[in-house]
Every structure is written in C-alpha cells, then in structure tokens.
Amino acid sequence: MKKFYITTPIYYVNDMPHIGHTYTTIMADVIKRYKKLRGYDVFFLTGTDEHGQKIEKSANKQNITPKELADRVVKRFKELWEILNIEYDNFIRTTDSYHMKGVQKIFKKLQNKGDIYPGEYKGHYCISCESFVSDTAKNSDNGNKICPDCGKTTEKVTEKCYFFRLSAYRDKLLKYYEKHPDFISPKTRMNEVTSFVKMGLNDLSISRSTVKWGISVPGDSEQTIYVWFDALTNYITGINYYKEDEMFKKYWPADLHIIGKDILRFHAVFWPAFLMAADIGLPKKELVHGWWLKDDKKMSKSTGNVLDPKILLEHFNPDSIRYFLMREASIGSDGNFSHQGFIDRINTDLTNDWGNLISRTGGMIEKYLNNEFKLSVKYSKREEQIKKEYITLEKNVLESFDNYQYNKGLKKILGFINYLNKYIVETEPWNLAKSEENREKLNAILKTLVRAILSINALFSPVIPETSEKIKKIFNFSESGFGWKDPGEIFKINKVEQLFPRVSNKDFFSNKNGEKEKKMEDEKISEDEGLINFDYFKKVEMVVAKIIDVKKVENTDKLLELIVDAGTDKRTLVAGIAQYYKVEDLNNKKIIIVKNLKPIKLRGILSQGMILAASDANGRPYIPIIPEETPVGAILK
RNA sequence: GGCGGCGUAGCUCAGUCGGUAGAGCAGACGGCUCAUAUCCGUUAUGUCGGGGGUUCAAUUCCCUCCGCCGCUACCA
C-alpha cells in the first residue's frame, strides 16, 4: 500500500484559531480523505508551536505559566478541529517530550557534523527593554549605543550563540530546485525562492540565550534553540524521528507540506537545508496557498477583522464551511471572504442544487413508490447516457483533485448536478406517476437518480464528509469508493432530512454578529472615500529637527546618512537624496521629520524616521527648509 | 529601481498555441409543481486596462503607458 504523509504548519499559540488556520487544516483533511479513498495509507500531522519569547511574555502578562497558556489555546484548536471533522493522526505540541528529544537529536547531529558551530553575537543590550539594540543605533557620549525605544544607554554584550552553516547550502539548494521544479507549487513561489537563494545566504543564528522558554541546546543549558528550528523539526518528530522507528521509516519523506505564503522562506530554504545537513530526505512537495482576505482586505489583529469560524458555525454546518473554503479559493492566489458571498455560495450550491436534488428525488420515491423499489427495471438509452456522462465527469473531477484543484473539481460536480435537475424536468416523473403503465419507466428514472446521487456523493465525500454519511444512510448504502454506484434491484430508502437548511440574509444579519458585520462595512465605505479622521492624522508625529551631521553612506549612490536633533533626542536618518542634495546644502538646516515611523535598516544603518520632502513627477525631492528661528522639536499639526 | 504576476459582463472568474468572447451569481421574462419560494427554459449588458506595432485578421504575439498585487533592493 502506498503511503502519503501530509502536514499542516504547527500553529503558534499566541493566536486563537481563525479562518486562516481553518483553511489550511481543512485543506489537509480534504486531501487526506481523498488520498485515503484513492487507496493510500495516509498520515496527517498537525499541531501547535508553543515556545518563544512572545509566549513567555503573554503568559507573564496573564499571570500564568507559558505551558498553561499553551494548554488553553491547544484546547481551542482541538475543539474547533473536532467540530470541523478534522481527522488528524497526530497533534504534535512542541512542548511534548518526544518532540523536544527529537529536536535535540537533530541539533546534535548537525553539531557533530560541524554545520552547527558556536559563535558570537556581538550586540548592544538594553536592560530595561530586555532586548538587543541594532548595531546601527546611534552612539551615546561614552561610545555605547542608545536604545531607540527607551533612549537609555545600552551595554555592550558579547553573547555566545550557535550558528547554522546555511551559507554552505546555497548551491545545493539551487541544484535541488532545478532538479525538482515542482518542489514548490505554484511556480511563482518557486521563482521567489530561487531568486532569494541566488542572492546568497548568511549563516543563521539558531540559538538564543535571552529566551528561556524553549528547548535547550544539547550540552549548553544557557542556550535555547531558535523557535523556527524547533518548529520546523515537528514534521519529522511528529512521526517519531527521535526513535527513528518503523513509523518514521515508513512515512518520511513527507509527500506534502501545506503552508501559507508568509512562511515560504522557512519551509523552502531553511527547512530543506537543515534536512540536507542531517542527511535526511527532503519533503516531496510544498503547496503554498494564499491568504483569505476579508472584504478585500488583509485580516489582521490590528484592524480587528479577523474572522472567527465560530460565527459561521452558529448558522451553518461544518460541511458548509469546508465546502466554501475549498470551492471559493484557488490554491496560490488569495481568496476573498465576505459573509454575503458565503451565504450566496452555500445557498446556491448546497441548498438549492445538491440538497434540493436529493430532497426532490427522495420526495418522489416516498410519494410514488412508498420509499421502496420493488421492481427490477431495464434502463433506457437516456439512463445509460447518464451513467456514461458520470464516468467522464468522474475522470475529470479526479484529475482536478489529483492536482489539488478542488475548486475546479467541485465546479464540475455542480455542473453535473444541474444536468440531473434538467433530466428530472425533461422526464417529468410526476406525469409518469399518474398512470400505472408508466410504472417501470418511473422506477428506472428514480433509480437512475439514486445511483447518480450516490456516485456524486462519493466524489463529494472528502469535502463534505458528514453530509456524505447522512446521504448514504438515507439510501441505505454503505459502500465507499468511487465509480458508478448501484444499490441493487430491490431496496428501501429512508425519509429525507434537510441536509442544508436555508440561511436567509435576515437570519444571518439580524443577530449581533451581523450588526458587527454591518458596522464594519460602513467603516469600509468611509475609508473608500479616501478620507481619514483627525485621530488618524494625529498618529503621525511630525517635528522640526536640526541637521547636525551629514555624510554619504559608503558604496551607495543615493543614500545620505543624517544625524538630527529632534528635540527630545538625537537620531539617525537615512534618506535617498544624495543625487540631489550635497552635504553642505543640508548641514545645520532645520527640516521636518516624521518621528514615529517604524525604524528600518537601510544599507546596514538604522533609519529612525523620515525627512519630509515634496517630490515631482520624476521623483526628485524638494526638502522644505524651516526658518532658523523655529525651535527644534516643534510639533507640526 | 529590479524580477514575476494580474487587469475580460454589475460581481466572482474561465478562455482564445491569432479568426472581434463565455460560465456561475445577481437582473428581466416565461414554464413546471416532485422539491428547502427550490428547479427548468429564454434573455440584456462587454470598444476583452489605454495607446502603438506585426498580420488579410489581435482580446490572444511584440512594444509602450496606466493601475493593482507578490518578492526584492542603495524607497521610507
């Protein structure tokens, strides 16, 4: 029996489960169920990532231990997966001992090989912020750096840590990509990865002495292993890499890692390099999916538009959610989620088409045949035709599913359902039922419908498994597997229940979730007009600053490094204006800077703000010079 | 700035290895009554992002411009 090992990423317990986690996990579950039907021995791994400073900090805030925090979130994930009928084979937690031992094992292996070596991280440490300050932060009088966050003088610290020799794997990775062009799918993601690797790779710091909540480095209790090394390793520890027993030998290498585009680099560059270093085979394929946008906007905690699947579960059954996510997004590109879109999709596809087909078929069998087929019948050409067309359809659908194009496959299935609805209208069973002489014909039509329904039901089963089971029960049918179904000459059916109750807009939007939803749509409208309110504007801090030193950034054409006095502090700015402004043009001038812009490193120098300048159509900057008498630090509003 | 992708009906998208375009949803009209006011049929709408070129012929190939997205950079 062929094996198939599929994984989701492990989810960081700093976040409650949302639609993104749900999407990835449902996709994995659908693939698992599909592969199982295709005769594979499937193993499906999911779990949680529980180490790291963030977890440590949030736990502290809530006055609980990191493990307690993780336990709470894990419970939420497991509950949701149960509701959504996710059949994972193992739920790994990075705090599980078999995982931790496995991580240490591979770490040790790389150490022995020399691919992990002790090194030094030289840095400037801010004690009050408990964090490292960039090399490029500005100096204080005594030569130490000043913390850009709190302004206090930092201490020079030389910290021991371990590095992974990533630089040595550049060519090997590129060769691997070339040999396995389908390793990363879709192709655009593969291009991104290769161009990134081509630019060269630096060795990777893979341990921290400042993080306590983590797996300790073997033989060095001062250090914990970097969370990404810890997390990625789950894919092998989850199938017993520590023991390297039969299970590991059977399932590794993974056949499919499902990941989101945000974690591409870790999976497509670092993870393969770690495995190469450890002489472990590489996963066969990584499928990169996009994000779910909410009303065309990225979901994020800060905008507060993260979608909790529980809201949907208040109105819809789990299969509806599974169906929508698989039907609506094509792998690779971002999907868009709107509540209206969700309601429409479920009502048209599942309620009107699929649910109703079963309902009307069952209704007729009840009404005309008293829920029982007593006759053995001959099928006419028309019925044979339906069988033939189903077989063609099935081939096409399976082909789509094999390529993980579930949206395409499902679309095709819906087309066939429409075809069956037409068949009913054309044959008019309700007229045949009026006279006894058409009994056999009526039987043949209804039986054909049952056979078609059961056949389609199998195709649908990986995506909507719960409904699929219900349908089998209605028709007293127990076989699974694909192909044209035949429940036999004589059989009974049970009363049809409503499989997908209709949810009207009124039902959905009248409760408080709907209100919330509506409010958000209103907000969206005002944003669309391009206007911002005053509070929003106030967030931008602009002040007058005096330039106290200017120099060109070495080896660049466009960049100037400026030291400015912003009133409260002195800070470094990097600006791409060297082609238009000379050092002497700017020295001692007063200008406007944006003070609270997120600092960014440019050419290795940390730029802590931005010079305000007008720019013309060619991008040429014009810096407004402020009158000399203006006080430094004056706020613009 | 570089690399890649995209821009097709009101909405979501398919498609054309060159012969002026489709599907679903929403809309309009009609039919049926087995069915969850469901189903079936008919039907409107598009200068296929703008401009230029190659060609007998371009939405499809080439160039250029505009807009959007992703990655990346000496953008901030």
Side-chain angles (χ1 to χ4, degrees), chain A residues 159-177:
Chain A
E159 203 189 86
K160 227 183 101 186
C161 80
Y162 292 86
F163 284 90
F164 172 71
R165 211 177 292 284
L166 183 64
S167 57
Y169 288 89
R170 179 182 176 271
D171 295 343
K172 283 176 199 165
L173 284 167
L174 288 173
K175 202 177 272 174
Y176 187 83
Y177 300 148

Side-chain angles (χ1 to χ4, degrees), chain A residues 495-547:
Chain A
K495 194 163 171 54
V496 174
E497 59 170 308
Q498 260 192 25
L499 297 168
F500 300 100
R502 175 174 307 280
V503 177
S504 70
N505 282 358
K506 219 173 115 193
D507 297 336
F508 189 86
F509 288 110
S510 66
N511 70 6
K512 56 178 188 281
N513 300 319
E515 304 240 327
K516 215 162 115 193
E517 174 65 16
K518 216 177 158 288
K519 213 173 154 191
M520 277 176 41
E521 264 165 31
D522 290 346
E523 278 169 22
K524 189 186 157 208
I525 287 163
S526 65
E527 261 177 52
D528 284 349
E529 286 164 359
L531 301 175
I532 58 170
N533 59 32
F534 183 62
D535 285 341
Y536 193 89
F537 170 75
K538 269 202 307 198
K539 286 182 188 163
V540 182
E541 282 179 37
M542 289 183 284
V543 301
V544 171
K546 184 171 180 176
I547 299 172

Side-chain angles (χ1 to χ4, degrees), chain A residues 26 28 70 108 150 179 216 220 224 289 367 394 420 494 543 573 582:
Chain A
I26 285 175
K108 223 183 278 174
C150 66
K179 256 185 147 175
S216 49
D220 188 343
T224 57
H289 64 69
K367 217 164 191 171
E394 185 177 273
L420 292 174
N494 300 308
V543 301
L573 307 181
K582 293 202 180 73

Side-chain angles (χ1 to χ4, degrees), chain A residues 166 169-185 187 189-201 264-274 276 282-284 286:
Chain A
L166 183 64
Y169 288 89
R170 179 182 176 271
D171 295 343
K172 283 176 199 165
L173 284 167
L174 288 173
K175 202 177 272 174
Y176 187 83
Y177 300 148
E178 203 183 323
K179 256 185 147 175
H180 303 86
D182 294 328
F183 175 52
I184 308 293
S185 169
K187 241 193 176 99
R189 300 293 167 201
M190 183 55 140
N191 294 341
E192 279 176 28
V193 170
T194 42
S195 63
F196 175 78
V197 173
K198 272 181 190 158
M199 287 190 307
L201 299 167
L264 174 62
R265 191 174 302 167
F266 295 99
H267 284 80
V269 183
F270 302 164
W271 177 230
F274 295 156
M276 283 174 175
L282 267 53
K284 290 181 189 155
E286 299 187 357

Side-chain angles (χ1 to χ4, degrees), chain A residues 338-579:
Chain A
S338 76
H339 285 294
Q340 191 61 56
F342 187 88
I343 294 170
D344 290 347
R345 173 60 67 196
I346 298 307
N347 278 342
T348 52
D349 285 7
L350 295 183
T351 305
N352 296 350
D353 291 349
W354 184 226
N356 189 236
L357 175 67
I358 292 158
S359 177
R360 66 196 304 203
T361 303
M364 289 189 280
I365 295 169
E366 183 183 4
K367 217 164 191 171
Y368 308 144
L369 308 179
N370 203 20
N371 278 340
E372 200 169 352
F373 287 98
K374 290 179 185 155
L375 291 172
S376 66
V377 293
K378 270 189 193 145
Y379 298 105
S380 71
K381 254 188 189 164
R382 184 69 210 269
E383 278 71 51
E384 292 302 329
Q385 173 75 8
I386 286 178
K387 177 179 173 181
K388 255 200 232 154
E389 296 201 31
Y390 174 78
I391 287 163
T392 311
L393 168 88
E394 185 177 273
K395 202 176 135 257
N396 291 332
V397 171
L398 297 185
E399 198 186 310
S400 294
F401 284 4
D402 281 333
N403 294 318
Y404 308 119
Q405 295 176 320
Y406 288 91
N407 60 334
K408 277 194 185 170
L410 292 170
K411 215 170 171 178
K412 288 173 193 161
I413 296 175
L414 259 294
F416 195 74
I417 290 170
N418 292 335
Y419 173 69
L420 292 174
N421 273 324
K422 263 171 233 172
Y423 168 65
I424 295 177
V425 172
E426 280 165 23
T427 52
E428 298 180 337
W430 48 93
N431 285 334
L432 298 176
K434 285 173 188 163
S435 64
E436 204 50 43
E437 56 186 300
N438 288 323
R439 261 308 93 161
E440 191 168 327
K441 221 170 171 185
L442 179 65
N443 264 266
I445 291 166
L446 293 178
K447 223 180 233 180
T448 299
L449 285 169
V450 172
R451 294 161 91 182
I453 286 168
L454 289 171
S455 306
I456 293 168
N457 193 39
L459 285 179
F460 259 144
S461 66
V463 180
I464 48 174
E466 208 174 283
T467 309
S468 182
E469 282 307 308
K470 281 184 193 168
I471 292 169
K472 278 157 84 176
K473 276 200 185 118
I474 289 169
F475 296 102
N476 287 315
F477 191 75
S478 58
E479 271 174 50
S480 49
F482 300 122
W484 182 249
K485 299 292 187 303
D486 194 348
E489 293 290 338
I490 291 155
F491 64 97
K492 285 186 180 177
I493 75 160
N494 300 308
K495 194 163 171 54
V496 174
E497 59 170 308
Q498 260 192 25
L499 297 168
F500 300 100
R502 175 174 307 280
V503 177
S504 70
N505 282 358
K506 219 173 115 193
D507 297 336
F508 189 86
F509 288 110
S510 66
N511 70 6
K512 56 178 188 281
N513 300 319
E515 304 240 327
K516 215 162 115 193
E517 174 65 16
K518 216 177 158 288
K519 213 173 154 191
M520 277 176 41
E521 264 165 31
D522 290 346
E523 278 169 22
K524 189 186 157 208
I525 287 163
S526 65
E527 261 177 52
D528 284 349
E529 286 164 359
L531 301 175
I532 58 170
N533 59 32
F534 183 62
D535 285 341
Y536 193 89
F537 170 75
K538 269 202 307 198
K539 286 182 188 163
V540 182
E541 282 179 37
M542 289 183 284
V543 301
V544 171
K546 184 171 180 176
I547 299 172
I548 48 186
D549 191 21
V550 188
K551 59 185 174 205
K552 255 195 104 171
V553 178
E554 276 178 44
N555 299 321
T556 69
D557 304 326
K558 294 181 186 170
L559 295 187
L560 286 184
E561 180 183 354
L562 307 124
I563 311 293
V564 301
D565 182 354
T568 50
D569 61 331
K570 292 180 179 144
R571 54 176 73 198
T572 307
L573 307 181
V574 180
I577 53 173
Q579 287 163 318

